């Protein structure tokens, strides 16, 4: 069974930093393409970032987080990360990691349960 | 960026009803179109990819169609467990944008 478990969320002040982690099991992580998607409270889904399984990795970001967030992976630890710097109030959301599969690089077929990030003073 | 517009934003339906949700892309995305179901407090679930390919384990009452810019998700006979919010998403070009969602409520 594929499991993706996010951690690292919490309360942070505007301008602060957080590092989210996503621990993967039940899949071959090293050959999996991965993504982060977020959902602000009561709002819709927002795609954030993608990382390929190649070396060097192909990486994409949404404009809303480009230059502030960094996606990375550690295949030895079966883990995906999202380093978030310069956090803003509008970054408050549940952050989901997901495995990318199928047509295109946006399709997420397995999702974690999400971790809540709250940016507030 | 490709804009994805879903309609309606919400609908009320009864068990057994046929339900249709539409999604329009602001430019041609061929069949790079996914549909997700999300229930309150839960992660989204992929129902359909590549516009019409049903994911394993998804009931056959769900179907997707369309290509180019116009797409449809159909639930042939609505069940209690189908009351949820549905999102379309294009996987053609970065950023891989989602529609605003369609909330399916009990009439």
């Amino acid at each position: 069974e594929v499991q993706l478990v996010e951690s690292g969320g919490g309360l942070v002040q505007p301008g602060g930093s957080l590092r989210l982690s996503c621990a993967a099991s039940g899949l071959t992580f090293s050959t999996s393409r991965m993504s982060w998607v977020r959902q602000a409270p009561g709002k819709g889904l927002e795609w954030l970032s993608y990382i390929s399984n190649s070396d060097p990795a192909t990486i994409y970001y949404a404009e809303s987080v480009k230059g502030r967030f960094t996606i990375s992976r550690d295949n030895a630890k079966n883990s995906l990360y999202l380093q978030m710097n310069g956090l803003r109030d509008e970054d408050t959301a549940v952050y989901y990691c997901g495995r990318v599969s199928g047509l295109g690089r946006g399709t997420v077929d397995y999702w974690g349960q999400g971790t809540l990030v709250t940016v507030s003073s | 960026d490709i804009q994805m517009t879903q309609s309606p934003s919400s609908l009320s339906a009864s068990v057994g009803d046929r339900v249709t949700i539409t999604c329009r892309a602001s430019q041609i995305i061929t069949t790079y179109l996914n549909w997700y179901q999300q229930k309150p407090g839960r992660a989204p679930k992929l129902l359909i990819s590549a516009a019409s390919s049903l994911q394993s384990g998804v009931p056959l009452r769900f179907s997707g169609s369309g290509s180019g810019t116009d797409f449809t998700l159909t639930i042939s006979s609505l069940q209690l467990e189908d009351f949820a919010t549905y999102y379309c998403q294009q996987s053609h070009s970065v950023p891989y944008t989602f529609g605003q969602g369609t909330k399916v409520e009990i009439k």
Side-chain angles (χ1 to χ4, degrees), chain B residues 39-57:
Chain B
K39 296 181 179 179
R42 304 288 298 275
K45 173 186 176 182
L46 179 64
L47 298 177
I48 290 169
S49 64
S52 60
S53 180
L54 201 66
Q55 293 301 109
S56 175

Side-chain angles (χ1 to χ4, degrees), chain A residues 2-3 5 8 10 13 16 24 26 34 39 42 44-45 51 63 72 79 86 89 92-93 95 103 108-109 114 117:
Chain A
V2 174
Q3 281 201 315
V5 180
Q13 292 188 337
M34 303 295 294
Q39 186 169 37
L45 300 168
I51 185 167
E63 281 299 321
S72 64
S79 291
D89 289 352
T92 293
Y95 286 72
L103 191 63
V108 177
D109 63 347
V117 172

Side-chain angles (χ1 to χ4, degrees), chain A:
Chain A
E1 179 193 5
V2 174
Q3 281 201 315
L4 300 172
V5 180
E6 301 93 339
S7 60
L11 176 63
V12 61
Q13 292 188 337
S17 298
L18 274 180
R19 188 196 196 203
L20 304 184
S21 299
C22 171
S25 60
L27 52 75
T28 306
F29 183 76
S30 61
T31 62
S32 296
R33 301 172 292 164
M34 303 295 294
S35 266
W36 289 97
V37 175
R38 71 183 178 186
Q39 186 169 37
K43 302 297 184 182
L45 300 168
E46 180 186 12
W47 175 87
L48 292 182
S49 185
Y50 162 91
I51 185 167
S52 73
N53 56 357
S54 59
D55 184 16
T58 297
I59 289 174
Y60 301 124
Y61 295 102
E63 281 299 321
S64 59
V65 303
K66 192 177 292 183
R68 300 188 300 125
F69 291 10
T70 302
I71 191 172
S72 64
R73 62 190 299 158
D74 186 336
N75 291 336
K77 294 183 177 180
N78 288 340
S79 291
L80 176 73
Y81 305 102
L82 187 68
Q83 177 66 44
M84 304 187 296
N85 299 330
L87 284 161
R88 306 165 179 167
D89 289 352
E90 57 264 34
D91 294 319
T92 293
V94 174
Y95 286 72
Y96 297 101
C97 69
R99 186 187 79 163
V100 174
S101 185
L103 191 63
R105 299 185 176 105
T107 307
V108 177
D109 63 347
Y110 288 103
W111 297 69
Q113 84 289 349
T115 187
L116 176 63
V117 172
T118 302
V119 184
S120 175
S121 54

